[in-house]
Amino acid sequence: MIGRVERYLLDRIKEEGAIHITLIDPEDVTSASASSIAEQASLSGTKAIMVGGSTLASTSQLDEVVKAVKRTIELPVILFPNNVTGISRYADAIWFMSLMNSLDPYFLTGAQALGAPLVKKYGLEAIPLGYVVVGEGSAVSVIGRASPIPYDKPELAVAYALAAQYLGMRFVYLEGGSGARQPVPAEIIQAVRRSVDVPLIVGGGIRTGEQARQAVEAGADIIVTGNVIEGSDVRAKVQELVEGVKDGVRGRKPANPVPPQGFK
Ligand code: 1GP
């Protein structure tokens, strides 16, 4: 049951090798600034807009931002919910996500059960996502009661990402935490890329084209940036990030072809 937005993302990844998505935190913007960010980011080649933030409590604020973005651009708007309040009827799709390394059942399946009937009622496209928090000190880790993956333990990120895939989630998100001092390390991205087949999203602390390039070269299919565009020249910054994504695709080493084998 792959919906329109998911198909769109998969097609863009197939065509371009990797893509950039712009995240807007409704708590940090007005409707006017959200539509301006979306417009500039779209002109610079971002491929979708995500809307959400770890501390969002007001659905009406979220609704206004989503509506403003929808009025301005034609790119898909995907919700990135921190809780049940992160569901807006005006979006196109929702990352239907479980915080894989949370210690609290509320963030594994509790909020999802509360939110699912609303997702159905609003006709939102739900895209199943395994969300894995990496590193230390992020708001998402505190709010989501995560036991974050240490930077030097890629094998743990692999274990959670694989578990997400085997549970049927169609995307994996390695989250370094919004505004993190350092992005998710390339070693972790590489290790997860080598083990899972589903598209890999990486975000948190990516501020430069060079950091986007490194993440994509290591195997990210989607780069998400939020903080860095708020308060900067959105058009130029997103262009830099999109160029970084393209450079990362060009810099990837081709995978060793696997010789065809008979079925025994
Ligand atoms: C946060 O991964 C996203 O959930 C984006 O992080 O705000 O640091 O870009 P930044």
Side-chain angles (χ1 to χ4, degrees), residues 23 80 131 173 175-180 202-206 224-228:
L23 171 66
F80 187 44
Y131 190 50
Y173 194 131
E175 172 65 85
S178 188
V202 176
I206 297 174
V224 176
T225 63
N227 261 346
V228 73

Side-chain angles (χ1 to χ4, degrees), residues 5-80:
V5 174
E6 186 172 351
R7 173 53 52 208
Y8 163 88
L9 294 175
L10 295 175
D11 287 349
R12 296 293 84 71
I13 292 169
K14 198 167 173 193
E15 277 166 19
E16 307 199 9
I19 58 173
H20 174 265
I21 293 183
T22 297
L23 171 66
I24 297 177
D25 185 337
E27 290 197 311
D28 295 345
V29 293
T30 60
S31 298
S33 66
S35 61
S36 160
I37 289 171
E39 186 175 25
Q40 300 303 312
S42 159
L43 288 169
S44 290
T46 207
K47 289 293 182 285
I49 301 292
M50 280 164 50
V51 186
S54 344
T55 52
L56 175 77
S58 161
T59 305
S60 58
Q61 197 172 346
L62 170 69
D63 282 344
E64 290 313 309
V65 167
V66 172
K67 281 197 281 186
V69 173
K70 286 294 296 173
R71 275 198 301 271
T72 316
I73 54 159
E74 292 188 354
L75 296 177
V77 176
I78 309 171
L79 299 170
F80 187 44

